[in-house]
Amino acid sequence: MSKEITSRADDYSQWYNDLIIKGGLADYSAVRGCMVIKPYGYAIWENMRDQLDKMFKETGHENAYFPLFVPKSLFEAEEKNAEGFAKECAIVTHYRLKADPDNKGKLIVDPEAKLEEELVVRPTSEAIIWNTYKGWIQSYRDLPLLINQWANVVRWEMRTRLFLRTAEFLWQEGHTAHATRLEAIDETVQMLNVYATFAETFMAMPVIKGVKSANERFAGAEDTYCIEALMQDGKALQAGTSHFLGQNFAKAFDVKFTDKENKLDYVWATSWGVSTRLIGALVMAHSDDQGLVLPPKLAPIQVVIVPIFKGEEQKQLIDEKVKVLQQQLKAAGIKVKYDDNDNNRPGWKFAEYEMKGVPVRIAIGARDIASNVVEVARRDTKEKMSMSIDGLAENIIQLLSDIQTSIFNKAKTFRDAHITNADSWDEFIQLLDEKTGFIAAHWDGTSETEDKIKELTKATIRCIPLDNNMQEGKCILTGGLSQQRVLFARAY
RNA sequence: CGGGACGUAGCGCAGGCCGGUAGCGCACCAGGCUGGGGGUCUGGGGGUCGCAAGUUCGAAUCUUGUCGUCCCGACCA
């Protein structure tokens, strides 16, 4: 069939693309580097967004919306941030088109309509937001300011990949302002924990919480905290970041407040974000050669019911039974779809919903109704079982919960098995090439060494884990003194 | 931005060397038989061959230019 998926072993990258395209998550578009997120993929994003939004609100944040465009003069205010993003910005220089006098039916940019000041399409919103915060913050009573926005941003990447790196992507960015350094750091860590909880509980994807080395730090941050996940091909993926920005942006945008002692000080800032890249992570974390495997907590459809019938009479009998079941499942909070489309036969549907990663499939035919059971199949293990129609909803709830746990454990077992200590350069190289995954090794703490390792191996320091054991050792490259192991990996 | 591949029906492709008015599979439409793992039969509809210029009586095919997409690399969430 045309819908066959390239296997992971044959071509991992093609496998990933096949899942996205054939699973109906997204499509290529007419715009280079930009994708169309299709309803099924968008539904996953909506589920992620709703859950995260709830968690943000539970931790005291409010949503707001800031402009897509950033005047260049604001953009350049925080030097490091500007420099970091400068080479991947889309810029608006004109505001009008006009008919091309030499080419009927075509349009050209009207040279008369050049903007006085160019507008940068936001690659991130610190600049426009901190310029706004200046007007909102005068006193410690205005703090903390805890704001999040759901938005799109544009980063003109050289090379894009569906969901993992697109020129335009959807994300959320939290931007908070605080009276003290400590409070800002607490906020940074709190949001990192929110992300980690989300990744593990909802995406069923184990993550390592850590701090970035200076090389990998967000442009303009004092510290970047991150969650790092491991994909099935042994490459790491940064799944979320939370930045402690110190007073850098407050100084750049002159955001001062009067404290309780009537002293003037700059505010302390954080920013944190996750993006539609999480969908890419989700896909790569669990899926197999038959298609997507979605965690029940984020699956747009948790249970699909496929009728199996001969003739209209049986169909009606099944319809009636399913109607009741469907109501029971819905009442139990389960997202259920009844696919009674007569254009496709059961086998086709089985394959289709496996490709789409629907966690549980229920097949029901006249035979089943006669014995008061249904056939239940779980996507993750492909195991089939017979379940009584009585009390089905409770059993399905339990099954969904088991699947959620089971795919998390599977991913965690794989991840844990792919964190390996390396104590020499040779061992490091060998592990990187043959075993892949995270490699815990000593590093002398310098950017030069990190650069050199990257140059030699393409591996970067993914993070310095927060729960690291302090343990002296020698840098695998230079032999310099090291206080702890850091995690290296090749990454997306 | 370097390297590679490719633009022909909605999708996947053949045809191109050797120029003569476009084909296959899937999908789609109508109907029948079917139905517990991607069924089958009959009959249909759909393409100015990425775009532009050139050569020619005649271009999907030859020439030149141009635009775009994907993959690999460097860069990055």
Side-chain angles (χ1 to χ4, degrees):
Chain A
M1 281 291 288
S2 61
K3 281 215 167 179
E4 254 167 50
I5 292 169
T6 308
S7 74
R8 284 164 289 188
D10 279 354
D11 185 343
Y12 189 85
S13 161
Q14 190 56 46
W15 166 77
Y16 174 78
N17 285 332
D18 282 357
L19 290 183
I20 305 283
I21 301 295
K22 292 175 180 167
L25 301 184
D27 233 339
Y28 294 110
S29 76
V31 190
R32 179 176 40 178
C34 295
M35 64 177 178
V36 174
I37 305 177
K38 294 177 77 176
Y40 193 63
Y42 200 78
I44 295 174
W45 178 239
E46 284 177 319
N47 290 342
M48 289 178 161
R49 192 191 60 192
D50 291 350
Q51 180 54 36
L52 284 165
D53 200 65
K54 194 171 147 222
M55 294 169 93
F56 298 158
K57 283 170 182 160
E58 276 164 4
T59 44
H61 303 86
E62 294 179 298
N63 286 331
Y65 189 79
F66 296 85
L68 170 68
F69 302 117
V70 185
K72 190 166 76 68
S73 58
L74 288 186
F75 185 78
E76 65 203 7
E78 209 292 329
E79 227 174 298
K80 280 190 182 140
N81 186 251
E83 204 186 295
F85 284 102
K87 58 188 180 302
E88 51 188 29
C89 287
I91 326 285
V92 180
T93 54
H94 293 74
Y95 59 87
R96 195 164 60 208
L97 298 170
K98 65 173 191 180
D100 183 348
D102 305 324
N103 210 341
K104 199 166 178 292
K106 304 286 184 191
L107 294 172
I108 55 167
V109 173
D110 186 346
E112 304 285 303
K114 193 162 159 40
L115 287 172
E116 201 70 5
E117 179 180 0
E118 293 89 346
L119 296 172
V120 177
V121 179
R122 62 181 169 212
T124 180
S125 300
E126 274 79 5
I128 189 74
I129 287 179
W130 279 90
N131 173 258
T132 308
Y133 282 1
K134 178 178 165 58
W136 290 0
I137 298 168
Q138 274 83 43
S139 148
Y140 73 94
R141 294 175 201 274
D142 299 321
L143 298 171
L145 184 57
L146 304 173
I147 288 181
N148 174 64
Q149 90 166 341
W150 290 95
N152 57 339
V153 289
V154 169
R155 296 183 187 175
W156 212 263
E157 301 289 350
M158 304 258 190
R159 188 160 121 59
T160 58
R161 296 197 67 186
L162 295 166
F163 285 114
L164 295 177
R165 179 167 302 105
T166 45
E168 179 192 10
F169 57 95
L170 305 182
W171 76 344
Q172 60 67 219
E173 45 182 328
H175 295 273
T176 69
H178 305 264
T180 67
R181 177 185 184 90
L182 204 63
E183 190 185 301
I185 292 175
D186 284 349
E187 165 78 4
T188 311
V189 172
Q190 171 184 249
M191 298 324 287
L192 183 78
N193 286 326
V194 165
Y195 289 154
T197 302
F198 174 77
E200 301 201 332
T201 309
F202 289 84
M203 297 175 67
M205 181 176 76
V207 293
I208 294 167
K209 295 186 274 190
V211 185
K212 288 290 187 190
S213 65
N215 281 17
E216 300 284 321
R217 196 178 285 154
F218 176 75
E222 264 189 40
D223 256 320
T224 288
Y225 292 73
C226 63
I227 51 172
E228 291 285 328
L230 188 67
M231 303 295 103
Q232 293 181 49
D233 61 347
K235 283 169 86 172
L237 182 83
Q238 179 174 304
T241 47
S242 184
H243 314 291
F244 169 59
L245 302 175
Q247 293 177 311
N248 293 342
F249 284 88
K251 284 176 181 164
F253 290 92
D254 194 34
V255 184
K256 290 182 216 160
F257 74 106
T258 309
D259 69 13
K260 285 182 188 167
E261 279 82 45
N262 200 31
K263 278 197 328 231
L264 214 51
D265 194 8
Y266 290 106
V267 302
W268 298 85
T270 82
S271 71
W272 28 274
V274 295
S275 72
T276 36
R277 167 179 255 202
L278 287 182
I279 296 175
L282 190 67
V283 167
M284 284 199 285
H286 308 300
S287 303
D288 61 25
D289 290 348
Q290 275 68 51
L292 298 168
V293 174
L294 298 178
K297 286 190 180 183
L298 293 175
I301 303 167
Q302 293 171 313
V303 174
V304 64
I305 304 177
V306 177
I308 293 157
F309 58 92
K310 271 186 220 178
E312 203 47 39
E313 233 173 273
Q314 286 194 1
K315 174 71 165 42
Q316 272 176 23
L317 180 74
I318 294 166
D319 279 351
E320 265 171 53
K321 198 75 193 174
V322 169
K323 205 170 167 188
V324 177
L325 284 179
Q326 212 176 350
Q327 270 167 5
Q328 289 169 356
L329 292 170
K330 275 186 184 159
I334 298 167
K335 293 175 197 156
V336 56
K337 172 178 173 171
Y338 178 40
D339 186 354
D340 65 343
N341 183 336
D342 201 14
N343 294 330
N344 300 120
R345 293 167 76 264
W348 190 92
K349 290 177 188 174
F350 292 174
E352 180 68 11
Y353 290 107
E354 269 166 23
M355 173 127 65
K356 297 200 119 175
V358 175
V360 171
R361 179 185 76 232
I362 296 177
I364 178 166
R367 203 158 86 191
D368 303 296
I369 293 178
S371 44
N372 201 43
V373 296
V374 290
E375 183 195 78
V376 175
R378 52 188 284 180
R379 172 62 183 89
D380 61 333
T381 59
K382 309 237 176 60
E383 191 185 343
K384 286 184 197 175
M385 59 206 102
S386 185
M387 275 193 192
S388 170
I389 286 181
D390 303 324
L392 184 66
E394 292 90 272
N395 287 327
I396 295 292
I397 287 178
Q398 186 56 49
L399 179 61
L400 288 170
S401 161
D402 288 350
I403 293 171
Q404 183 83 29
T405 308
S406 170
I407 63 175
F408 174 79
N409 288 339
K410 188 179 171 197
K412 187 163 188 301
T413 303
F414 176 83
R415 198 276 313 271
D416 289 347
H418 285 83
I419 303 176
T420 321
N421 285 354
D423 291 309
S424 71
W425 182 248
D426 289 346
E427 198 182 353
F428 182 76
I429 300 271
Q430 194 186 2
L431 285 168
L432 209 50
D433 285 339
E434 286 164 27
K435 187 173 175 191
T436 72
F438 291 112
I439 298 163
H442 284 285
W443 160 60
D444 66 15
T446 67
S447 287
E448 293 72 36
T449 302
E450 189 179 353
D451 284 339
K452 187 78 185 164
I453 292 173
K454 185 176 178 182
E455 191 191 314
L456 292 169
T457 65
K458 289 179 195 152
T460 50
I461 296 175
R462 300 321 301 158
C463 71
I464 303 156
L466 292 185
D467 60 0
N468 235 2
N469 293 326
M470 288 298 147
Q471 171 209 54
E472 283 199 4
K474 283 186 194 158
C475 176
I476 43 155
L477 184 69
T478 63
L481 208 62
S482 155
Q483 301 302 316
Q484 59 182 326
R485 289 176 188 272
V486 300
L487 293 181
F488 286 88
R490 295 201 174 113
Y492 278 99

